[in-house]
Amino acid sequence: MLTNKLISEKLDQDMRDWRHDIHKHPELGFEEIRTSDQIAKLLTDFGLEVHRGIGQTGIVAVLNNGKSGASIGLRADMDALEIQEQTGLPYQSVHDGKMHACGHDGHTAMLLGAAKHLADHPDFDGTVYFIFQPAEEHGRGALGMMGDNMFQRFEMDAIYAIHNMPNIPAGHIAVRPGPMMACEDNFEIHIQGKGTHAALPHLGIDPIVIGAEIVTALQTIIARRMDPLSQGVISVTEFTTDGTRNVIPDTVTLKGDTRSFTPDMQDFIENSMHRIVKGVCAAHGVEFTFKYSREFAATINTKEEAEQAARVAKDLIGPELVDENCSPVMASEDFGFMLQKKQGAYIFLGNGGGGPGGCGLHSPNYDFNDEILSLGATFWVNLVKDQLPLNK
């Protein structure tokens, strides 16, 4: 039977303590040695079968009960960001320039809480895989775990993940079938002009002017070439030269980021960008290089699993607190790579203000909301009971 009550007061406090410890000792992607040691010890103490070193520092813990061959994967991310924390909290990061500014400490604590509860109360029939993933922030952790044959070694039927969202009220849950978060592609454009004295521009070919034309022209892809009902973003985030105060430079390099939701749109943006850069540079008689890399896959929920997650959430907290067709988010998440291989869903859990300053993710003042730990863990427990019911 599903429950909307706190898992237990003791477990709620344990989750807070685990989170504060992880928050105080943040580790970057593929450096989560202490974090994975602590997680593995707890999981072993709970009585789970623990597998380490999957995707370098990743962990998969296995909990079996009953005779069913059904299975489910639950994933939390572990890594921190290169940010100097400014919260002033008692458990503030002890490592300069490293901080849990995205709530991965909370995601880990919630999944540990669910593992503890299910180990103590195994009222499900099947196998639960608890996945603690490294290196989400730079988009390589999911690929690392998959590259170590995670899905071949642990044959789960579907996989789910939760991320806190400060712009959603605490205690609310949001999900949707289809695109949930965007892909992220990166680009680099190098323009080879001809440098000259700033007072004698006619003797050179100014790559700054050419670069500025390209920056402006790239925005026409979204504004005038893309279907207005589609979604996409092109952002030039760096504009660097080798010039100085009175010297028109030889070269300009533009770097940036694009977001979209489908492979077809990725192809459209990449090809359109290349055509514009080629045309502008040809008009000015300069050489160029254009590099385009696909860093994060779009996070696309499968219909059945998104609907199941929404149903479990509504049973847990009531339909008025669940948005089952939320707007997609243009940020990216490497869980999308896992959803390319497995059915599953990515779920937003409202975090409320996000810290002392009411700030959002990736802020030096951000903090995960301890008040939602029990809700997140309870959602995991109820999802397992729903998907792996006894006496099915």
Side-chain angles (χ1 to χ4, degrees), residues 5 18 51 102 122 137 149 155 163 170 199 261 284 360 374:
K5 298 184 183 301
W18 298 333
H51 301 262
C102 199
E137 292 293 353
N149 299 314
E155 296 183 1
H163 202 293
F261 286 106
H284 289 277
S374 285

Side-chain angles (χ1 to χ4, degrees), residues 196-356:
T196 183
H197 195 290
L200 304 168
H202 61 292
L203 298 181
I205 304 176
D206 189 343
I208 291 180
V209 172
I210 298 168
E213 285 187 33
I214 289 172
V215 171
T216 301
L218 290 179
Q219 300 311 308
T220 66
I221 297 172
I222 304 299
R224 287 294 178 266
R225 295 279 299 165
M226 183 181 289
D227 183 339
L229 298 180
S230 299
Q231 292 173 294
V233 175
I234 299 174
S235 297
V236 178
T237 57
E238 296 182 50
F239 193 126
T240 58
T241 81
D242 63 347
T244 188
R245 181 179 60 84
N246 60 351
V247 176
I248 291 172
D250 278 314
T251 65
V252 158
T253 299
L254 308 178
K255 295 182 181 180
D257 177 287
T258 80
R259 308 287 171 132
S260 57
F261 286 106
T262 67
D264 286 347
M265 190 57 68
Q266 287 178 282
D267 292 341
F268 171 76
I269 290 174
E270 179 179 359
N271 293 336
S272 298
M273 290 182 66
H274 185 266
R275 183 178 63 253
I276 284 173
V277 173
K278 181 179 179 180
V280 172
C281 288
H284 289 277
V286 298
E287 299 295 320
F288 73 95
T289 60
F290 176 77
K291 298 177 182 178
Y292 193 95
S293 61
R294 304 191 179 192
E295 302 296 323
F296 286 78
T299 302
I300 301 176
N301 291 342
T302 49
K303 184 175 186 293
E304 182 177 357
E305 283 66 31
E307 291 174 349
Q308 290 167 346
R311 185 186 68 250
V312 170
K314 286 188 285 187
D315 288 344
L316 175 62
I317 58 177
E320 68 279 3
L321 300 183
V322 178
D323 184 350
E324 58 186 317
N325 192 26
C326 66
S327 298
V329 175
M330 296 306 292
S332 300
E333 157 67 66
D334 80 344
F335 187 67
F337 291 117
M338 294 188 180
L339 290 179
Q340 290 182 331
K341 301 297 183 182
K342 288 287 179 182
Q343 297 185 152
Y346 191 74
I347 300 124
F348 293 145
L349 176 61
N351 190 68

Side-chain angles (χ1 to χ4, degrees), residues 21 39-40 50 54 72-73 91 227 301 309-310 317 320 322 324 340 346 366 371 383 392:
D21 180 69
I39 292 168
V50 180
I54 302 169
I72 186 172
Y91 48 88
D227 183 339
N301 291 342
I317 58 177
E320 68 279 3
V322 178
E324 58 186 317
Q340 290 182 331
Y346 191 74
Y366 167 85
E371 297 302 315
L383 183 66
K392 185 173 181 180

Side-chain angles (χ1 to χ4, degrees), residues 5 23 30 34 37 64 97 102 131 136 147 149-150 194 237 242-244 250 253 278 281 285 298 300 310 375 378 382:
K5 298 184 183 301
H23 188 98
F30 295 130
R34 182 188 185 278
D37 284 346
N64 295 298
C102 199
I131 301 160
E136 186 281 323
N149 299 314
M150 179 176 72
K194 181 181 178 183
T237 57
D242 63 347
T244 188
D250 278 314
T253 299
K278 181 179 179 180
C281 288
I300 301 176
L375 174 57
T378 303
N382 286 358

